[in-house]
Structure formats: C-alpha cells, structure tokens
Amino acid sequence: MRISINANRCEPSPMRKFHPYAVEAEKKGRKIFHLNIGQPDLKTPEAYYAAIRQYNEETLEYAASPGMPILIDQIRDYYGRLGVELSQEDVLVTTGGSEALLLTCLSILDPYTEVIIPEPYYPNYTTFVHAAGGVIRALPTSPEDGYRYAYKERIESLITKNTRAILITNPGNPTGVVLTEEEMRMIADIAKKYNIYLICDEVYREFCYDEECGVPTMGRFADIADNLVIIDSVSKRFSACGARIGCVVTKNKELQQALLKFCQSRLSVATIDQIGAAALYSVDHEFFVRSKQEYRKRRDTVVGLLRQIPGVMVEEPMGAFYVMATLPVDDTNKFQYWLLEEFHDQNETVMFAPGAPFYETPGKGINEVRIAYVLKESDLVRAIDLLGKGIKQYRQQVMGLDE
Amino acid sequence: MRISINANRCEPSPMRKFHPYAVEAEKKGRKIFHLNIGQPDLKTPEAYYAAIRQYNEETLEYAASPGMPILIDQIRDYYGRLGVELSQEDVLVTTGGSEALLLTCLSILDPYTEVIIPEPYYPNYTTFVHAAGGVIRALPTSPEDGYRYAYKERIESLITKNTRAILITNPGNPTGVVLTEEEMRMIADIAKKYNIYLICDEVYREFCYDEECGVPTMGRFADIADNLVIIDSVSKRFSACGARIGCVVTKNKELQQALLKFCQSRLSVATIDQIGAAALYSVDHEFFVRSKQEYRKRRDTVVGLLRQIPGVMVEEPMGAFYVMATLPVDDTNKFQYWLLEEFHDQNETVMFAPGAPFYETPGKGINEVRIAYVLKESDLVRAIDLLGKGIKQYRQQVMGLDE
C-alpha cells in the first residue's frame, strides 16, 4: 500500500519529537516550564460555558454547512466594529483557523503552484500547502532586522507564473512582527498588481502592543476585496483554543463557492461550540484590554530578562505572544534534548521551540528559538532563569567553552 | 485569481439547490415533509449533555492531536466488545467521519489514482476523493438486483495499476445494502490479493435489520489489518450528528504516521465534544436495541407503503436508514422541483433526494430517489401518502398520461 506523495512531503510536528524525552524527565521528578507551546493560560470567558450549558435541544443536529447564523452574525458585527462590512456569504465558519487554512489551500492550489510566505513561519502552513500539492517560496528575513519582511522588491522577486498567493500572519507567529499601515498597503498592492490571493492569518489580531501597528485587519482595504482571504479564529482572541472555531472571510465569490463545496462535504462544524463561540463574541471589550495588558507585561518581562543573558539576541516583538531569540549555542535542537536529558536546576528545566522547523530554507534557524510567553509572570521569570543557567552550563560542558 | 482544478472537479451539494424552492414553498404556507436528509430525529442520550455541563476547566485548551485518551479508550472498549483489539495508536479521533475520510484520501491518493466505489454512493465521497486529486471508478449495480455489489469478477475488472483503494459503506448509504459475512470475506480477499487499501465506512454499523447481515465490522478479519481503514462516527450511532466526532481506525503503521501528520497540523478536535462523545460510549446497550427497533419499524412502514404506490419499485433495505426507490416519473429531479413549485395536498408537500447525484455514471439514477426514514411513524405515513399523490398528479399533468 502506498502513502501519497503529498503526505510524504509533510513533516511530523517538530515539537512532538521531544515529547518522550519530556515524559522521561518528568518521570525523574523534573518540573518542566513550557515556553514551547502557544496555548494561552488566560481564563476562557464564562459566557462560553454558560451558553453551552443552556443548550437544551433534544437532538444534537448538524448545523448549516456554512456555519450557524447566530455565530456568523456575531462575526459580522465584530468585523463591523473594525470597519469591515460583511454579508452573510462572506463568512464561512470552520473547525478552527486550521480548517480555514486547509480548505483555502485545497480551493486555490494546484500541484506545483506556489505560495510566498515570509520565513520563519508557523510550521503547520507547510502541511496545508503540501496537502494541496503546493510549494512554499520562502521570503527570507533576518534576526538582525527583527524578522521584518515587508520589502517590495524582495516579495516581487519571488513572484513567478505559478504564484497563487502570498500568505502572511499578522501579528506574526513566531516572530511577533506586526505590519505598519504602509506595509499592509504595499503588500495589498502587490496582490492586486499580480492578481494573486493575499491570505492573511489574523488570529492574533487583538495582540498588538505598539503604536506603529497598522490597522487591525487587511479587510479595511476595500479595493483588494477580491484578492483577500482572512483566516480567523476564536482560539487566541478568547483563550478558547479547544473550541476549534474559526472562519474564512472572503468577498471573492468564486472562492466562496469553492470553499462552500468543501464545507458542504464535511456537513457542518460542531453545533455546541458554535453556540459557545457566538456567546464569546458578546464579551465586553474590557476583556481584550485586560488580555492585551497581561501579554504586554509578559512580553516586557521576557524580553527584558532575555537581554540580560550574555550572548542572547532578541528584538522586541510588536504583537502576538511569541518572541524569536538567537541563543549562543551551536544548535538549539541539540540544546533542547540536552535540557531534557542532562540538565536541571533544583529539579526544574525548560522547553522552547527550536528555530529550524520554522524555516523552509535548510540550515536556517539553527541558533534560534521561539518562546511563547503564555505562562504567568512568576513562571516566565523562572523559565528564563533556567534558560540562562542552561545556556551557561551547555556552553561549558557541551561546547567546551571556558568562560 | 484561480480556483484549483480539484475544487472545480467537486460539485456543490446536490440537495442544496432545492433549498430556495423549499423556502418559497414555506412562504406560501406549505408544510414540507423532509425525506431528503439523513438527520436522525431520535433523542441524543442525556449522557452527552451531562458530561459537557460538568466540564469545569478554567481554560478551554487544545486536546491532544490524535484525540483525548478518555475518548480513545472508550472507542477501544467498544471495539473490544465487537471482538477487535485496538491499541491506542490504532485510533485517531477526527472531526466527524467526514474529516476521517478527507484525511484518509489525502494520505493515500495521488493525482489520477483510483478508488473503486459501488454506485450509487454517498455524494460527498466525490469531494473527498477529488480534494486529493483522485478518480472514482464506479462499480455498477442495479435496482433490480437490490443494489448488491459484492461480485468478485466485477470488482476485479475495475482494478488497474492506479487503484489505491476500494471504498464501501456497510451498511450502505443510500442503498441500505448490508454485506453477508461471505461477501465481506471476498472483498477483504481482493484488497489483500491486490495489495490495496480497503476503506470501510461503518458509521451505520448498529443499524442492521436482518439475520443475513455479516459480522458488525470488517475489523474482525485480522489478516487484512494492514489494508483496512475503518471510518467511524458517533453521529448516527448515538443520534449526535452535531458533535462532529468521528475516528479513523487502522493498524497500518505507515498510514497511522501519515494521518497523524495531518491531525497534528490541525492541532486537535473540539475538546468539549470529545468529552461528550466519551460519555456517549458508556450508554447502555439497550439504547442500540431501541434505536434499531424504531428504525426497523419505520423501514417496514416506508417499504410497505411505497409498494402500494402503482409503478414504484423498491427492494427492502437490510440496514442503515435509507431506501432507494424507482419512481414511475421521467426525471426525479424535475419531479422534486414540481413538488415544491406546483404541487400540494392540503397545503403539504414532500422532499426526497433525487437519485442521479448518487451515481458517477452519467444518466444513471434519473428515475430513482433516496428516502431517509428518519421521521416519526405518523410523518412517514403522511410523507409517502404525499409522494403517491404527487406521482399520480405529475403523471397526469406533466407527463400527460391518461390513467
């Protein structure tokens, strides 16, 4: 029996390989601080639970394939508050932002067609693009330049006759880069000029900490309505990752029809979670203000502490809840194994996401890590402390440096 | 901007086109009896709601990508009771049987590779196969033969060097055909002989009304463990379609790895629904007995009444909750439009699923319909009464027959 070419082109989760080593470390009684996963620890608003507890239909039926009107209307109201008018057909509810991405790739990519993505990028993009037979053309960035990618010439130089889309995450995972309004406009113009899709993954939309951040959504540029595909989700916005509720927002009629065919084929998104998600969209604006304050404080803590570790290079991220850091070690992948197998400080150790899997280009990201600042303040302080101690000991014991 | 070739090869839902006409009819005050959809009306067991109401984690987190152990263990116990021993890795929880099918197709099909499917078949199979670039090779059946498809020579004659899988639904949708044990064994042997996958969609497993029905799952044939992929779901089994909880069951290690990559890319299945589904697997066996009795009674009612309509041809289905019938009209698609636009009896009319979209072969199924017997007895009686009256009037008024 054969496995498909496209499945073989996908990689297993780069985090997962450390899992057995983490389990072993825990068996030895080690406490692990997890900077490796983007699972926010903030409380999910009670509105979600209240709504699902009230559900009292005798039969748990399929919902409508494009999504439940109660949720679509909430999403439309939310976009209305951002200055984007959406009709009902412009929103297709999906099982998380993940399904939104997969169905978009299946709808627009043919084998060997290309998607331009700034690297480093969210590794699961690879699976979605490869599932459709597509190819990623990486737009290079550098840690020294804070991973900024909005350079017209560099983007245009990657466009070929096979380019179907530019895919960006704004605010960015893993880099925390947020585009300015001028940068957003420039990228929108490129999509328009070359008549390609612009897929904007905006699931971190509310997590934007600086004044230079551009408008909250690419949806504000009405002139690229036909090019634009927005990927959205309640996961990070409302700290409700386990609800698996996302959506695709597009005004492109042909694309709507293509997406709808895939939505119909899988019948519907979970009924109860759509009802819970609709309730989430009614939470007070104060919720976002508080979440943002909390993450901003954590960012400042993490970046401040990372800068105190000798040899660590880090640029302050403007958004999302990740920061990329360059560490003074030979290989962050090897360093992670060592932290789990050999290192501990008072029986505690730390995990991060090694940088290489965030890159398409071989050899890049070897000295980098992604740190998710989704733990509470005191845990973050201890986690970075452990990272610093680990770096020092690793440089001495493994790299043989006498400092 | 382009739409992908594979998306263009998919069709919109064949039921959906009638939706605006149904809405118009309802505006005129017409009551519509829905024999067109497979949404069971039985009560979802209270265990589902009790479990989700008890959930009290502060943060609704991602679940594990392969599924929550609490649910996987329940599924393993359930298969154990059917005589199939599964290890934890043999089960991957999915968002409904739909995702199970899509991920399976993405994992095993390359462009232009072939899947053999007996026709008529569940129309969404087309989308899953086409999403992966595959081609359906239809295995023909006939209404006169009760849509039976387990004929060795016919199946073998469709196998080419590009065949990757045989896909069957057992018990069958839309035909209600259930394989005998000998037939199951014969199909298993073909998969083994030609070294191809055997995908068994067994979501209607418990709905089996006759003694000739074979063993409850193809999983009982241990010698084809490497070929076998079982598609499963709680939707029909527990009348919980809106939970969107299904799974892929396979012991093929390579396929497990491929599927797991796709599962990891979409992070997880909805947490709350997995907890609810785990509780469903604990409901008393009595639930299945009652459901089966109820559907059996409905089947007998529907088949009995259909046989009283002059010119209608119907074979008694052995399982699931559908029956295919051949009607004495020129085109069941046209007849359905007419029933919604022109016909009513005391302001009531009826919908079914026209047969043609269940066929790959052009021109087939034009006189056929699929009827879902998922309404309560009294509604079924009235619905078939309306169908009979509609047929009579349509033959006179539209077909110009003087009877």
Side-chain angles (χ1 to χ4, degrees):
Chain A
M1 272 83 62
R2 303 254 206 102
I3 297 299
S4 71
I5 296 164
N6 289 335
N8 280 330
R9 290 170 67 221
C10 298
E11 294 292 331
S13 162
M15 317 313 177
R16 202 184 150 83
K17 65 180 178 184
F18 297 109
H19 182 69
Y21 296 87
V23 170
E24 277 307 305
E26 281 166 347
K27 273 189 197 155
K28 284 190 247 172
R30 302 272 152 84
K31 177 174 176 183
I32 302 172
F33 287 85
H34 288 275
L35 301 174
N36 54 324
I37 43 171
Q39 165 65 60
D41 67 332
L42 299 193
K43 275 169 81 163
T44 309
E46 184 54 29
Y48 178 87
Y49 296 111
I52 67 168
R53 286 190 194 116
Q54 273 166 32
Y55 186 81
N56 63 356
E57 298 291 327
E58 287 201 335
T59 304
L60 184 63
E61 296 194 353
Y62 290 120
S65 295
M68 292 171 82
I70 183 185
L71 174 56
I72 292 177
D73 286 347
Q74 287 283 358
I75 294 170
R76 291 170 63 204
D77 285 353
Y78 161 84
Y79 272 88
R81 293 192 291 275
L82 302 177
V84 181
E85 290 306 314
L86 299 177
S87 68
Q88 198 144 20
E89 304 75 50
D90 300 342
V91 180
L92 287 161
V93 176
T94 54
T95 302
S98 305
E99 193 193 35
L101 283 159
L102 177 61
L103 300 190
T104 298
C105 288
L106 291 176
S107 295
I108 69 170
L109 299 181
D110 290 317
Y112 311 111
T113 61
E114 298 166 4
V115 183
I116 296 169
I117 312 181
E119 71 176 356
Y121 57 82
Y122 179 56
N124 291 325
Y125 287 162
T126 308
T127 305
F128 303 134
V129 171
H130 287 188
V135 176
I136 292 175
R137 296 285 302 246
L139 170 62
T141 65
S142 74
E144 295 76 15
D145 190 30
Y147 302 101
R148 301 206 69 85
Y149 58 86
Y151 298 103
K152 188 166 185 281
E153 295 71 24
R154 287 195 210 159
I155 298 172
E156 288 190 325
S157 74
L158 292 174
I159 292 175
T160 72
K161 66 181 192 331
N162 291 321
T163 306
R164 288 279 167 92
I166 298 171
L167 165 54
I168 62 173
T169 328
N170 186 43
N173 169 14
T175 63
V177 167
V178 184
L179 297 175
T180 65
E181 183 155 356
E182 292 67 35
E183 289 172 334
M184 291 174 82
R185 185 64 253 177
M186 181 274 291
I187 293 172
D189 287 338
I190 292 177
K192 210 171 150 183
K193 175 174 167 189
Y194 292 94
N195 201 30
I196 55 181
Y197 293 103
L198 175 55
I199 307 168
C200 284
D201 182 343
E202 298 184 349
V203 300
Y204 297 97
R205 185 180 293 133
E206 277 74 14
F207 305 100
C208 216
Y209 312 115
D210 286 288
E211 280 172 13
E212 303 137 73
C213 296
V215 294
T217 171
M218 200 64 98
R220 291 271 278 270
F221 299 118
D223 63 315
I224 56 155
D226 242 25
N227 307 76
L228 187 61
V229 188
I230 298 172
I231 305 298
D232 209 341
S233 161
V234 304
S235 296
K236 316 291 176 176
R237 180 168 305 139
F238 299 109
S239 197
C241 300
R244 311 310 299 124
I245 297 294
C247 64
V248 188
V249 175
T250 183
K251 286 177 178 287
N252 182 310
K253 293 287 166 199
E254 262 196 301
L255 181 56
Q256 285 175 10
Q257 290 310 309
L259 288 164
L260 187 59
K261 289 192 269 186
F262 291 116
C263 288
Q264 288 172 344
S265 75
R266 54 66 160 144
L267 305 171
S268 67
V269 172
T271 304
I272 293 266
D273 296 282
Q274 290 193 68
I275 289 167
L280 286 175
Y281 274 99
S282 68
V283 304
D284 199 89
H285 183 70
E286 193 53 33
F287 175 81
F288 298 122
V289 176
R290 277 201 314 277
S291 302
K292 191 164 146 172
Q293 275 171 351
E294 176 63 28
Y295 283 117
R296 188 188 175 127
K297 207 173 65 184
R298 292 176 180 185
R299 177 197 67 169
D300 294 344
T301 301
V302 165
V303 171
L305 291 171
L306 283 171
R307 285 188 170 151
Q308 289 172 27
I309 303 175
V312 168
M313 191 176 75
V314 61
E315 290 285 325
E316 183 165 79
M318 287 164 73
F321 33 71
Y322 307 100
V323 56
M324 290 289 284
T326 304
L327 308 187
V329 298
D330 51 353
D331 181 340
T332 54
N333 190 49
K334 205 173 124 196
F335 177 46
Q336 178 66 85
Y337 281 120
W338 179 85
L339 282 170
L340 289 169
E341 290 185 290
E342 311 287 340
F343 173 82
H344 76 96
D345 178 65
Q346 293 172 48
N347 238 356
E348 295 179 339
T349 190
V350 63
M351 286 180 81
F352 47 73
F358 293 90
Y359 286 88
E360 174 74 7
T361 310
K364 285 191 81 174
I366 283 176
N367 309 107
E368 294 162 58
V369 295
R370 184 194 75 172
I371 286 168
Y373 42 97
V374 292
L375 305 180
K376 60 174 195 268
E377 195 83 0
S378 56
D379 284 354
L380 284 178
V381 171
R382 174 58 174 153
I384 305 297
D385 175 47
L386 286 163
L387 185 66
K389 287 183 166 131
I391 289 172
K392 190 170 177 191
Q393 199 173 310
Y394 180 87
R395 285 172 59 88
Q396 288 169 352
Q397 293 181 6
V398 181
M399 296 172 70
L401 297 169
D402 192 15
E403 288 167 330
Chain B
M1 270 84 60
R2 304 254 205 101
I3 297 298
S4 71
I5 296 164
N6 288 336
N8 281 330
R9 290 171 66 222
C10 299
E11 294 293 331
S13 162
M15 317 313 177
R16 202 186 151 81
K17 65 180 178 186
F18 297 110
H19 183 69
Y21 296 86
V23 171
E24 277 308 304
E26 281 166 346
K27 274 189 196 156
K28 285 189 245 172
R30 302 273 151 83
K31 178 175 176 183
I32 302 172
F33 287 84
H34 288 275
L35 300 174
N36 53 326
I37 43 172
Q39 164 65 59
D41 67 332
L42 299 193
K43 274 169 82 163
T44 309
E46 183 55 28
Y48 179 87
Y49 295 112
I52 68 167
R53 286 190 194 117
Q54 272 165 34
Y55 187 80
N56 63 356
E57 298 290 327
E58 287 203 335
T59 304
L60 184 61
E61 296 192 354
Y62 291 119
S65 296
M68 292 172 81
I70 183 184
L71 174 57
I72 292 177
D73 286 346
Q74 288 282 357
I75 294 170
R76 292 170 62 203
D77 285 354
Y78 161 85
Y79 272 87
R81 292 191 292 274
L82 301 177
V84 181
E85 290 305 313
L86 299 177
S87 68
Q88 196 144 21
E89 304 75 50
D90 300 341
V91 181
L92 286 162
V93 176
T94 55
T95 302
S98 305
E99 194 193 35
L101 283 159
L102 177 61
L103 300 190
T104 298
C105 287
L106 291 175
S107 295
I108 68 171
L109 298 181
D110 291 318
Y112 312 111
T113 60
E114 298 166 5
V115 182
I116 296 170
I117 312 182
E119 71 176 356
Y121 56 82
Y122 179 55
N124 291 324
Y125 288 162
T126 308
T127 305
F128 304 133
V129 171
H130 287 189
V135 175
I136 293 176
R137 296 286 302 247
L139 170 62
T141 65
S142 74
E144 296 75 17
D145 190 30
Y147 302 101
R148 301 206 69 85
Y149 57 87
Y151 298 104
K152 188 166 184 282
E153 296 70 25
R154 287 195 209 158
I155 298 172
E156 287 191 325
S157 74
L158 293 173
I159 293 176
T160 71
K161 66 180 192 330
N162 291 321
T163 305
R164 288 280 167 91
I166 298 171
L167 165 55
I168 62 173
T169 328
N170 187 43
N173 170 13
T175 63
V177 167
V178 184
L179 297 175
T180 65
E181 183 154 356
E182 293 66 36
E183 289 172 334
M184 291 174 82
R185 185 65 253 177
M186 181 274 290
I187 294 173
D189 286 338
I190 292 178
K192 210 172 149 182
K193 175 175 168 189
Y194 293 95
N195 202 30
I196 56 181
Y197 293 102
L198 175 56
I199 307 169
C200 284
D201 182 343
E202 299 184 349
V203 300
Y204 297 98
R205 184 180 294 133
E206 276 75 15
F207 305 101
C208 216
Y209 313 115
D210 287 288
E211 279 173 14
E212 303 137 73
C213 296
V215 295
T217 171
M218 201 62 99
R220 291 272 277 271
F221 300 118
D223 62 314
I224 57 156
D226 241 26
N227 306 78
L228 187 62
V229 188
I230 298 171
I231 305 297
D232 210 339
S233 161
V234 304
S235 296
K236 317 291 175 175
R237 180 168 304 140
F238 299 108
S239 197
C241 300
R244 312 309 299 123
I245 297 294
C247 64
V248 188
V249 174
T250 183
K251 286 178 178 286
N252 181 311
K253 293 286 167 199
E254 263 196 301
L255 181 56
Q256 285 176 8
Q257 290 309 309
L259 288 164
L260 187 58
K261 290 192 269 187
F262 290 117
C263 289
Q264 289 173 343
S265 75
R266 54 65 160 144
L267 306 171
S268 68
V269 172
T271 304
I272 292 267
D273 296 282
Q274 290 192 70
I275 289 167
L280 286 175
Y281 274 99
S282 69
V283 304
D284 199 88
H285 183 69
E286 193 53 34
F287 175 81
F288 298 122
V289 176
R290 277 201 314 276
S291 302
K292 192 164 146 172
Q293 275 172 351
E294 175 65 27
Y295 283 117
R296 189 189 175 126
K297 207 174 64 184
R298 292 176 181 184
R299 176 197 67 168
D300 294 344
T301 301
V302 165
V303 171
L305 291 170
L306 283 171
R307 285 187 171 150
Q308 290 171 26
I309 303 174
V312 168
M313 191 176 74
V314 61
E315 289 286 324
E316 183 164 80
M318 287 164 72
F321 33 71
Y322 308 100
V323 57
M324 289 289 284
T326 304
L327 308 187
V329 298
D330 52 352
D331 180 341
T332 54
N333 190 49
K334 206 173 123 194
F335 178 46
Q336 178 66 84
Y337 281 120
W338 180 86
L339 282 170
L340 290 170
E341 289 186 290
E342 311 287 338
F343 173 81
H344 76 96
D345 178 63
Q346 294 172 45
N347 237 358
E348 295 179 337
T349 189
V350 63
M351 287 180 81
F352 47 73
F358 293 90
Y359 287 88
E360 173 75 7
T361 310
K364 285 191 81 174
I366 282 176
N367 309 108
E368 294 163 58
V369 296
R370 184 195 73 172
I371 286 168
Y373 43 97
V374 293
L375 305 180
K376 61 173 193 269
E377 195 84 359
S378 58
D379 285 353
L380 284 178
V381 172
R382 175 59 175 153
I384 304 297
D385 176 47
L386 286 164
L387 185 67
K389 287 182 167 132
I391 289 171
K392 191 170 177 192
Q393 200 174 309
Y394 180 87
R395 284 172 59 87
Q396 288 170 351
Q397 293 182 5
V398 181
M399 296 172 70
L401 297 169
D402 192 13
E403 288 167 331

